[in-house]
Amino acid sequence: MPKPASLPLTGQTDSPPRHVAIIMDGNGRWAKARHLPRIAGHKQGVEAVRRVSRAARQMGIEVLTLYAFSSENWRRPEGEVRDLMGLLRRFLKNEVDELVSEGVRLRVIGDYRALSDDLVAMIDEAVERTRDSDGPTLVIALNYGSQAEILKATRSLAEKVAAGAIAPEAIDEKRFEAELATHDLPPLDLMIRTSGEQRLSNFLLWQAAYAELVFVDTLWPDFNAATLGEALDIYARRHRRFGGL
């Protein structure tokens, strides 16, 4: 069977990964270790987002996707969710001008329209302001769950089959990927998770099928250009076979 067209050639490369995703974990533990409220960890986590997104641009990464708020995070205490939404407002208010000036395109994946009306309006405005940017892309996953994304894609294809728009046998990997929120992004090359946990937590499950996985002990608020560089060094030493030899 021929290799899917979306997969790059096998082997090591001196080039940075085109698309890197990060599960930003450890804000609460960072705060607890310092006897601080959890919101302090989240605030430092936002600072890490600024550092790492700038570093990623300098390192030549085309797309950086950050897991900011999962669909399961609604289970957290109401006060913590409110604090997280407040930090999101502050990030959008303070960072979009820099994204525009740096030529960064902002994308948001997930059911973010379930957030409050004012946040949805801020997100829409930020995305629109950066829509025509021709530089790297920063993707923020908000109210995102990969299983829900896959189910939505499946239902969409089922509806098209039922309507006679496509035949069942016409559905292949490429056709399925066209239904995903990431359909116009490069394939995911590298998935990083901070804080020592080693699971994907319902993040980019389809997209991570052939991604390299790197788990680091660093808590997200302490993650910086150096730790990102270390993860890229690990990636560069991997031999990507995609099922081949």
Side-chain angles (χ1 to χ4, degrees), residues 16-21 61-65 137 139 182 185-191 204 207 211 235:
R18 295 182 65 197
H19 186 176
V20 176
I61 294 170
E62 292 181 35
V63 179
L64 177 66
T65 299
T137 299
V139 183
T182 55
L185 298 176
L188 181 62
D189 295 311
L190 172 62
M191 172 87 77
L204 300 178
Q207 296 87 341
Y235 170 85

Side-chain angles (χ1 to χ4, degrees), residues 6-73:
S6 61
L7 296 182
L9 297 175
T10 60
Q12 293 172 304
T13 176
D14 293 329
S15 301
R18 295 182 65 197
H19 186 176
V20 176
I22 305 179
I23 301 174
M24 306 179 294
D25 196 15
N27 292 348
R29 275 167 282 177
W30 184 93
K32 183 178 181 181
R34 291 160 177 77
H35 307 287
L36 297 170
R38 288 177 63 85
I39 184 60
H42 294 313
K43 287 180 178 177
Q44 290 301 311
V46 172
E47 293 302 317
V49 168
R50 293 190 180 99
R51 289 195 304 269
V52 173
S53 60
R54 291 167 183 164
R57 297 197 291 272
Q58 293 168 357
M59 294 175 183
I61 294 170
E62 292 181 35
V63 179
L64 177 66
T65 299
L66 302 177
Y67 204 9
F69 191 85
S70 77
S71 51
E72 289 78 25
N73 285 156

Side-chain angles (χ1 to χ4, degrees), residues 188-205:
L188 181 62
D189 295 311
L190 172 62
M191 172 87 77
I192 302 168
R193 181 168 187 148
T194 62
S195 86
E197 302 292 348
Q198 297 187 17
R199 56 182 178 271
L200 298 185
S201 295
N202 199 18
F203 186 45
L204 300 178
L205 300 180

Side-chain angles (χ1 to χ4, degrees), residues 37-194:
R38 288 177 63 85
I39 184 60
H42 294 313
K43 287 180 178 177
Q44 290 301 311
V46 172
E47 293 302 317
V49 168
R50 293 190 180 99
R51 289 195 304 269
V52 173
S53 60
R54 291 167 183 164
R57 297 197 291 272
Q58 293 168 357
M59 294 175 183
I61 294 170
E62 292 181 35
V63 179
L64 177 66
T65 299
L66 302 177
Y67 204 9
F69 191 85
S70 77
S71 51
E72 289 78 25
N73 285 156
W74 294 109
R75 301 171 186 168
R76 295 188 177 188
E78 182 179 347
E80 181 170 351
V81 171
R82 185 170 57 249
D83 288 340
L84 288 169
M85 294 301 140
L87 290 173
L88 175 59
R89 287 184 183 88
R90 186 181 305 175
F91 177 83
L92 292 168
K93 182 179 179 181
N94 295 338
E95 300 302 315
V96 175
D97 285 345
E98 179 176 325
L99 296 180
V100 172
S101 66
E102 292 286 325
V104 178
R105 182 173 63 130
L106 178 67
R107 283 278 304 280
V108 177
I109 60 174
D111 185 17
Y112 75 90
R113 295 195 177 279
L115 305 181
S116 64
D117 291 344
D118 69 309
L119 259 178
V120 171
M122 292 180 72
I123 293 168
D124 284 343
E125 180 183 1
V127 169
E128 183 60 33
R129 286 185 62 193
T130 65
R131 184 179 303 279
D132 296 327
S133 298
D134 57 3
T137 299
L138 174 63
V139 183
I140 305 295
L142 289 172
N143 196 24
Y144 173 88
S146 189
Q147 291 176 330
E149 179 189 29
I150 291 170
L151 284 173
K152 182 178 179 181
T154 303
R155 292 191 189 104
S156 176
L157 288 171
E159 290 169 357
K160 291 173 182 177
V161 169
I166 58 173
E169 57 270 21
I171 300 174
D172 57 12
E173 290 93 339
K174 185 175 181 180
R175 187 67 186 80
F176 190 88
E177 287 174 354
E179 300 288 338
L180 299 176
T182 55
H183 64 89
D184 58 345
L185 298 176
L188 181 62
D189 295 311
L190 172 62
M191 172 87 77
I192 302 168
R193 181 168 187 148
T194 62

